[in-house]
Amino acid sequence: MSTDTEHVEEGTETSVLEAWQDWYHLPVVGVVMLFMIWVRTQAYDRFVTDDGSPALAGIDSWYHWRTIKWTAENYPQTMPYEIWTGFPTGKYVGQFGTLFDQLIVTAAMIVGFGDPSTETLYSVALLAIPTMAALAAVPVFYGGRRLGGTMGGLVSVVILALTPGQFFARSTVGQLDHHVGETLFMAIAVVAMMVALGVAEREQPIYELIVDKDWGALRTPALYSALAGLALALYIWVWPAAVLLIGIFGVFFAVQLCLDYLRGVSPDHVAFVGAVSLGVTAVVTALLIERSGIGVTSFSYLQPLTALLVAAGCVFMAWLAREWSARGLEPRYYPATIVGIAIAAVAVMWLALPGLYETFIGNLTSRLIPLNPGTGTLTIQEAQPPENFLSQYVFDEFGAAFYTMLVGLALLVARPLLGREFRAEYTLIAVWTLFLISMAATQVRFAYYLVLAVAIVNAVFVADVVRLFSLDVRGGVDSLREIETYQVIVVFMVVLLVFAPLVPPLAAAGTTVVDRGKTAQPHSGAEVWEESTHWLAENTPEPGNYGGAGNASELDYYGTYDPADGDYDYPNGAYGVMSWWDYGHFITTQGERIPHSNPFQQNARSSSAYLTAESEEQGELILDAIASGADVRWRNYQNEDLEAAVAEANGTDEEIRYVMIDDQMAGGKFSAITQWAGPGYNHYVTPDGFERGESISAQELANASLPYDDTMQSRLYFGDANGMEHYRLVHENDAYTMAFTSYAFVNAETGNVLTQDLRSLSNGVPADEAKWDPQIYVNERGTPRQIQQRYAFLQRIPGIELQIFDVRQASAIKTFERVEGATITGTAEGVPEGESVYAQVELDRGTGGGNFTYVQEATVQADGSFELTVPYATNDELGVEDGYTNSSVEAMGEYTVVAGQYAGQTAVPETAVVEGETVEVTLEEVEDPPEIDDGNETDGGNETDAGNETDGGNETDGANDGAGNESNESNESANAGNATAERVVSPAVDVAS
């Protein structure tokens, strides 16, 4: 009896050990996934506000919140066309409202039993991103397992979990963006293709089986190939621009089919996978088409067409290989022929299909290969190429795991040379990895893709090291007893190498995923803009109701619109909001108003043209041209082009009514703004009377006049529309900031401004001024302390002093309304012709920023008459119910009009301002005419109070140093008071402090 018991127990023990050896990876992967979710949700409470309003981490996250809510309202449909952005045409938003949003809403529908509340929808959306990141561990494990066994797969998963770079930053709570969805579905698509290739090499489908209709032999490879094609189609459904993976697969199939033919292996096996998988992708993506054309970021003809071409290419290469062998041609010329045919095909595309060629080349250089990105790419922080890519950048992103990946990649490619088995999926991983490296070197953000290759290929490195030192990690307890000391040392060194510096104590403080997960916080810019956009929503008429038009019902915020001609025809009473494209999503989602430009970079050039226009007349002409819908070449445009466009339009009811400008636009982002329309940044910051690079003293620079001061942006933001006829300040944010700090680097010996390119100085250059490439540096936003920190490296160059000037303090965001303006008319008898006549009124900002004075100037005519057009009213008789604005800025009295010794006062009704009516004023001769304020006071304060630094957020069009996802462009808060806007030069600042 006892013997039987011992036998049963012994067998049970063996069974448990065998089961553990077969399945131990599942609980390990599960624990790692739970860790990945936990570490990304540590800061969850920061994204849940008391009033229930969203608090998200990135600019694009706000627009995904918009498309998620829209999908919930119209489930299961996604938004076909967006009319609440891109005024006056609307915008097809192809990368938003995709499978990514549908999955989140579907999960919320399940949680909310078919009718989720806004709170439920928001909670699910917050948790969806960390969950998708954790789910990526599943395909990563199986990809690593196929290359390096179970232990290799576990190493891959742990690397994915501990990598603190772009993938982690974009998958923490609050990052409601499709990037993590892209990564998850790319991993699924690649691993599915690996499996399909493995099955095809085992089952060996060939052309004869198809001719014989031997479906039994073809069923398994066809099924797995079709699933691989479906996985690729799902990836494209998440992100239309995932067509790039079709291109990567196309290169792989071309390379592998050539290799197979040279090795004497039938290309039919791999070609079968390519034809079936990409054929399925072509069919599925054809069902997704929403727009005609070949747009990359939309569901267009491009995706199915590209997939079909790759599928056809696989069939063609297999056929050509058969013909090549049948004719007894030299096998080594086969690859050269394929390359020649590919070059010829590109040439034909260039000649016959220039649009497709431009799309192909444009995306090749901007997404896949670091060649020549355009303006739109270089002004997006996340799309800029990283500096020191192969050294500091990849080490910060992946630690030493990037370099061990390169070793693993080399070992993978070298397998045939080592006499080891080489499978087609190895070529796939090699080609895919090289492309991901190139993509990450092209754009900062694509490091979130590269993490997949780093994780998966490290499985090869670990597996080969284990094999090299004869380590049996699968043999159970007995094998562990046989491990030698040197083998333990090897294992320790491998772990140390792969995971340094990803975990403490090897990692620096604050650099691990645990540390960084704790610091996740909402986008500070969104919080600041929220006050202004909420004011916009509550104090301006609904689009369609401006001027009492009563057409708001035609613009349902959750309505469905699909204009046949691609542009939406807005009803009378609709209007747009002008700002820089960074803030378009805030205006749409927080303010429920229609921005002209947006983070899709739609209308970025026309916004640039307006903000940099150097007169009100030119600015008005630009807005009229925008409303006309004319196709204007906004870069280096001529006023004659705008006048012709406006004349051709013959009037329009579509108008841009509001302009919103923040401190970043006025300061650090101005450089990026100038890149779109021209002339360049140097034109605006080079003082009048000086040439670029000409020697100038710090005092001359401080007192000089800059073309920047004449721009629409500067005259509105810093001048509060002083002297302008058609713009009035209607609201400013309660938050005050150091809005404008210019600086100069001064030669301590000569007192002249040094004109070296500051970025090249960071690498250290001789202090030989004659070798420096001239450029005057002003208009940099920031406090002296920030500039000291940013350019501390200048202490290495002798004889440099940092001088700060032109310090202005202003509201973080100002909102202006575009109005007809009231015309004040009168007669100043006895005043000589050509003499100036002034009208001024004191205004209350409606915030803690104090008062300011608006002044308008005109000249007296020969008969003594005069006219002045003013935008500010002296009463507040109109409001939202009338179709106009509840302005927060109010006059403190009537206008005072002065011409020589004559003066008078008049009220200006708000109806006259918005409808362009005339108001008469009577002037009388006075002994002591009222003094005219020059209107030069800012809304600033006393000496600035360095406050809390804020994080600039994701994907901003900034001018920050360093490439990264988060701009880290700090605002300094300051108290409001009565500082003047006159430039003052500070004492020299020691940059070494």
Side-chain angles (χ1 to χ4, degrees), residues 515-546:
D515 295 333
R516 294 186 175 182
K518 294 177 181 177
T519 62
Q521 58 185 353
H523 189 295
S524 61
E527 293 179 341
V528 175
W529 271 78
E530 193 168 23
E531 178 194 332
S532 295
T533 50
H534 284 184
W535 179 93
L536 195 71
E538 296 168 1
N539 295 278
T540 62
E542 293 183 70
N545 279 352
Y546 193 92

Tab-separated table of all heavy atoms in Angstrom, residues 515-546:
chain	number	residue	atom	x	y	z
A	515	ASP	N	10.058	55.359	-11.715
A	515	ASP	CA	10.235	56.783	-11.420
A	515	ASP	C	9.444	57.646	-12.389
A	515	ASP	O	8.763	58.596	-11.987
A	515	ASP	CB	11.718	57.152	-11.488
A	515	ASP	CG	12.538	56.460	-10.408
A	515	ASP	OD1	11.960	56.139	-9.359
A	515	ASP	OD2	13.744	56.235	-10.622
A	516	ARG	N	9.520	57.320	-13.658
A	516	ARG	CA	8.866	58.155	-14.661
A	516	ARG	C	7.352	57.982	-14.641
A	516	ARG	O	6.612	58.914	-14.964
A	516	ARG	CB	9.433	57.843	-16.044
A	516	ARG	CG	10.896	58.245	-16.168
A	516	ARG	CD	11.456	58.083	-17.558
A	516	ARG	NE	12.829	58.592	-17.624
A	516	ARG	CZ	13.572	58.619	-18.725
A	516	ARG	NH1	13.075	58.157	-19.868
A	516	ARG	NH2	14.802	59.103	-18.696
A	517	GLY	N	6.896	56.813	-14.280
A	517	GLY	CA	5.461	56.623	-14.172
A	517	GLY	C	4.842	57.481	-13.084
A	517	GLY	O	3.708	57.934	-13.208
A	518	LYS	N	5.604	57.725	-12.032
A	518	LYS	CA	5.105	58.559	-10.942
A	518	LYS	C	4.948	60.016	-11.355
A	518	LYS	O	4.154	60.744	-10.762
A	518	LYS	CB	6.055	58.477	-9.748
A	518	LYS	CG	6.128	57.119	-9.079
A	518	LYS	CD	7.159	57.135	-7.955
A	518	LYS	CE	7.282	55.773	-7.284
A	518	LYS	NZ	8.334	55.757	-6.240
A	519	THR	N	5.728	60.465	-12.338
A	519	THR	CA	5.746	61.888	-12.696
A	519	THR	C	4.762	62.249	-13.801
A	519	THR	O	4.686	63.405	-14.191
A	519	THR	CB	7.162	62.307	-13.135
A	519	THR	OG1	7.527	61.555	-14.303
A	519	THR	CG2	8.176	62.039	-12.030
A	520	ALA	N	4.032	61.277	-14.320
A	520	ALA	CA	3.072	61.581	-15.387
A	520	ALA	C	2.063	62.609	-14.892
A	520	ALA	O	1.565	62.524	-13.777
A	520	ALA	CB	2.361	60.311	-15.834
A	521	GLN	N	1.768	63.577	-15.736
A	521	GLN	CA	0.828	64.615	-15.340
A	521	GLN	C	0.119	65.185	-16.562
A	521	GLN	O	0.599	65.039	-17.690
A	521	GLN	CB	1.553	65.738	-14.601
A	521	GLN	CG	2.657	66.394	-15.391
A	521	GLN	CD	3.418	67.418	-14.559
A	521	GLN	OE1	3.036	67.725	-13.443
A	521	GLN	NE2	4.487	67.952	-15.117
A	522	PRO	N	-1.029	65.822	-16.359
A	522	PRO	CA	-1.757	66.396	-17.497
A	522	PRO	C	-0.941	67.471	-18.211
A	522	PRO	O	-0.032	68.068	-17.637
A	522	PRO	CB	-3.007	66.996	-16.842
A	522	PRO	CG	-3.164	66.251	-15.557
A	522	PRO	CD	-1.771	65.948	-15.101
A	523	HIS	N	-1.283	67.698	-19.446
A	523	HIS	CA	-0.634	68.718	-20.268
A	523	HIS	C	-0.916	70.093	-19.652
A	523	HIS	O	-2.062	70.533	-19.568
A	523	HIS	CB	-1.203	68.645	-21.679
A	523	HIS	CG	-0.486	69.496	-22.680
A	523	HIS	ND1	-0.474	70.866	-22.616
A	523	HIS	CD2	0.242	69.168	-23.789
A	523	HIS	CE1	0.213	71.337	-23.634
A	523	HIS	NE2	0.657	70.326	-24.358
A	524	SER	N	0.138	70.747	-19.204
A	524	SER	CA	-0.045	72.034	-18.533
A	524	SER	C	-0.623	73.082	-19.467
A	524	SER	O	-1.408	73.937	-19.053
A	524	SER	CB	1.293	72.524	-17.977
A	524	SER	OG	2.223	72.699	-19.026
A	525	GLY	N	-0.240	73.029	-20.734
A	525	GLY	CA	-0.788	73.985	-21.687
A	525	GLY	C	-2.290	73.839	-21.822
A	525	GLY	O	-3.021	74.830	-21.946
A	526	ALA	N	-2.779	72.589	-21.771
A	526	ALA	CA	-4.218	72.367	-21.855
A	526	ALA	C	-4.932	72.977	-20.661
A	526	ALA	O	-6.029	73.525	-20.784
A	526	ALA	CB	-4.509	70.869	-21.942
A	527	GLU	N	-4.301	72.877	-19.497
A	527	GLU	CA	-4.914	73.447	-18.300
A	527	GLU	C	-5.001	74.966	-18.413
A	527	GLU	O	-5.995	75.575	-18.019
A	527	GLU	CB	-4.103	73.053	-17.071
A	527	GLU	CG	-4.162	71.549	-16.758
A	527	GLU	CD	-3.331	71.189	-15.544
A	527	GLU	OE1	-2.448	71.985	-15.167
A	527	GLU	OE2	-3.542	70.117	-14.979
A	528	VAL	N	-3.947	75.592	-18.942
A	528	VAL	CA	-3.964	77.047	-19.099
A	528	VAL	C	-4.992	77.457	-20.151
A	528	VAL	O	-5.772	78.389	-19.956
A	528	VAL	CB	-2.565	77.564	-19.479
A	528	VAL	CG1	-2.601	79.057	-19.759
A	528	VAL	CG2	-1.571	77.276	-18.355
A	529	TRP	N	-4.999	76.744	-21.274
A	529	TRP	CA	-5.926	77.081	-22.349
A	529	TRP	C	-7.376	76.825	-21.955
A	529	TRP	O	-8.299	77.430	-22.512
A	529	TRP	CB	-5.576	76.292	-23.616
A	529	TRP	CG	-4.587	77.011	-24.467
A	529	TRP	CD1	-3.241	77.102	-24.289
A	529	TRP	CD2	-4.883	77.782	-25.639
A	529	TRP	NE1	-2.674	77.871	-25.270
A	529	TRP	CE2	-3.660	78.298	-26.118
A	529	TRP	CE3	-6.057	78.079	-26.332
A	529	TRP	CZ2	-3.581	79.105	-27.252
A	529	TRP	CZ3	-5.984	78.872	-27.468
A	529	TRP	CH2	-4.761	79.379	-27.915
A	530	GLU	N	-7.583	75.926	-21.001
A	530	GLU	CA	-8.945	75.570	-20.634
A	530	GLU	C	-9.743	76.782	-20.168
A	530	GLU	O	-10.928	76.926	-20.489
A	530	GLU	CB	-8.922	74.496	-19.544
A	530	GLU	CG	-10.265	73.849	-19.310
A	530	GLU	CD	-10.147	72.606	-18.450
A	530	GLU	OE1	-9.153	72.491	-17.700
A	530	GLU	OE2	-11.039	71.756	-18.509
A	531	GLU	N	-9.115	77.670	-19.416
A	531	GLU	CA	-9.826	78.875	-18.970
A	531	GLU	C	-10.285	79.702	-20.158
A	531	GLU	O	-11.431	80.151	-20.236
A	531	GLU	CB	-8.929	79.725	-18.065
A	531	GLU	CG	-9.609	81.010	-17.622
A	531	GLU	CD	-8.648	82.021	-17.014
A	531	GLU	OE1	-7.621	81.597	-16.445
A	531	GLU	OE2	-8.916	83.235	-17.124
A	532	SER	N	-9.387	79.898	-21.133
A	532	SER	CA	-9.718	80.744	-22.285
A	532	SER	C	-10.712	80.074	-23.224
A	532	SER	O	-11.617	80.728	-23.762
A	532	SER	CB	-8.439	81.111	-23.041
A	532	SER	OG	-7.597	81.908	-22.236
A	533	THR	N	-10.554	78.761	-23.439
A	533	THR	CA	-11.479	78.076	-24.346
A	533	THR	C	-12.853	77.922	-23.719
A	533	THR	O	-13.876	77.993	-24.419
A	533	THR	CB	-10.925	76.701	-24.745
A	533	THR	OG1	-10.525	75.985	-23.566
A	533	THR	CG2	-9.724	76.843	-25.668
A	534	HIS	N	-12.908	77.722	-22.407
A	534	HIS	CA	-14.220	77.667	-21.754
A	534	HIS	C	-14.904	79.036	-21.806
A	534	HIS	O	-16.129	79.112	-21.972
A	534	HIS	CB	-14.064	77.202	-20.306
A	534	HIS	CG	-13.826	75.727	-20.197
A	534	HIS	ND1	-13.743	75.066	-19.000
A	534	HIS	CD2	-13.653	74.775	-21.154
A	534	HIS	CE1	-13.529	73.782	-19.212
A	534	HIS	NE2	-13.473	73.578	-20.511
A	535	TRP	N	-14.110	80.091	-21.665
A	535	TRP	CA	-14.686	81.422	-21.828
A	535	TRP	C	-15.237	81.570	-23.246
A	535	TRP	O	-16.339	82.116	-23.439
A	535	TRP	CB	-13.625	82.493	-21.566
A	535	TRP	CG	-14.158	83.885	-21.738
A	535	TRP	CD1	-14.679	84.693	-20.783
A	535	TRP	CD2	-14.255	84.615	-22.982
A	535	TRP	NE1	-15.109	85.878	-21.331
A	535	TRP	CE2	-14.859	85.855	-22.678
A	535	TRP	CE3	-13.895	84.343	-24.287
A	535	TRP	CZ2	-15.104	86.825	-23.646
A	535	TRP	CZ3	-14.153	85.301	-25.270
A	535	TRP	CH2	-14.741	86.526	-24.947
A	536	LEU	N	-14.495	81.075	-24.208
A	536	LEU	CA	-14.930	81.157	-25.608
A	536	LEU	C	-16.265	80.447	-25.792
A	536	LEU	O	-17.168	80.951	-26.480
A	536	LEU	CB	-13.859	80.530	-26.503
A	536	LEU	CG	-13.916	80.810	-28.004
A	536	LEU	CD1	-13.534	82.251	-28.287
A	536	LEU	CD2	-12.978	79.863	-28.756
A	537	ALA	N	-16.412	79.283	-25.168
A	537	ALA	CA	-17.641	78.512	-25.316
A	537	ALA	C	-18.837	79.215	-24.691
A	537	ALA	O	-19.968	79.101	-25.191
A	537	ALA	CB	-17.461	77.130	-24.687
A	538	GLU	N	-18.612	79.935	-23.621
A	538	GLU	CA	-19.712	80.527	-22.871
A	538	GLU	C	-20.024	81.964	-23.280
A	538	GLU	O	-21.132	82.453	-23.008
A	538	GLU	CB	-19.381	80.490	-21.380
A	538	GLU	CG	-19.257	79.077	-20.824
A	538	GLU	CD	-18.641	79.056	-19.438
A	538	GLU	OE1	-18.339	80.156	-18.908
A	538	GLU	OE2	-18.447	77.950	-18.893
A	539	ASN	N	-19.082	82.649	-23.917
A	539	ASN	CA	-19.244	84.084	-24.157
A	539	ASN	C	-19.186	84.489	-25.622
A	539	ASN	O	-19.134	85.679	-25.929
A	539	ASN	CB	-18.170	84.853	-23.375
A	539	ASN	CG	-18.340	84.708	-21.878
A	539	ASN	OD1	-19.142	85.395	-21.259
A	539	ASN	ND2	-17.583	83.788	-21.299
A	540	THR	N	-19.200	83.508	-26.502
A	540	THR	CA	-19.287	83.805	-27.930
A	540	THR	C	-20.476	83.033	-28.491
A	540	THR	O	-20.865	81.997	-27.947
A	540	THR	CB	-18.005	83.387	-28.683
A	540	THR	OG1	-17.824	81.964	-28.562
A	540	THR	CG2	-16.796	84.105	-28.127
A	541	PRO	N	-21.075	83.510	-29.565
A	541	PRO	CA	-22.244	82.824	-30.117
A	541	PRO	C	-21.865	81.462	-30.686
A	541	PRO	O	-20.731	81.249	-31.121
A	541	PRO	CB	-22.729	83.772	-31.214
A	541	PRO	CG	-21.524	84.575	-31.582
A	541	PRO	CD	-20.729	84.735	-30.324
A	542	GLU	N	-22.788	80.541	-30.673
A	542	GLU	CA	-22.546	79.247	-31.294
A	542	GLU	C	-22.263	79.458	-32.781
A	542	GLU	O	-22.866	80.327	-33.415
A	542	GLU	CB	-23.764	78.348	-31.129
A	542	GLU	CG	-24.054	77.922	-29.713
A	542	GLU	CD	-25.237	76.985	-29.655
A	542	GLU	OE1	-25.103	75.840	-30.111
A	542	GLU	OE2	-26.296	77.413	-29.171
A	543	PRO	N	-21.354	78.676	-33.357
A	543	PRO	CA	-21.127	78.776	-34.797
A	543	PRO	C	-22.426	78.589	-35.562
A	543	PRO	O	-23.179	77.642	-35.327
A	543	PRO	CB	-20.142	77.633	-35.070
A	543	PRO	CG	-19.396	77.481	-33.776
A	543	PRO	CD	-20.423	77.724	-32.706
A	544	GLY	N	-22.704	79.513	-36.436
A	544	GLY	CA	-23.976	79.540	-37.147
A	544	GLY	C	-24.921	80.590	-36.617
A	544	GLY	O	-25.902	80.938	-37.275
A	545	ASN	N	-24.607	81.142	-35.424
A	545	ASN	CA	-25.470	82.164	-34.832
A	545	ASN	C	-24.822	83.537	-34.795
A	545	ASN	O	-25.413	84.470	-34.245
A	545	ASN	CB	-25.860	81.771	-33.399
A	545	ASN	CG	-27.007	80.786	-33.378
A	545	ASN	OD1	-27.606	80.498	-34.413
A	545	ASN	ND2	-27.307	80.253	-32.202
A	546	TYR	N	-23.604	83.686	-35.329
A	546	TYR	CA	-22.951	84.989	-35.257
A	546	TYR	C	-23.803	86.024	-35.981
A	546	TYR	O	-24.295	85.791	-37.085
A	546	TYR	CB	-21.551	84.941	-35.863
A	546	TYR	CG	-20.740	86.178	-35.527
A	546	TYR	CD1	-19.930	86.195	-34.399
A	546	TYR	CD2	-20.807	87.314	-36.320
A	546	TYR	CE1	-19.192	87.324	-34.069
A	546	TYR	CE2	-20.086	88.452	-35.993
A	546	TYR	CZ	-19.281	88.456	-34.872
A	546	TYR	OH	-18.563	89.583	-34.535
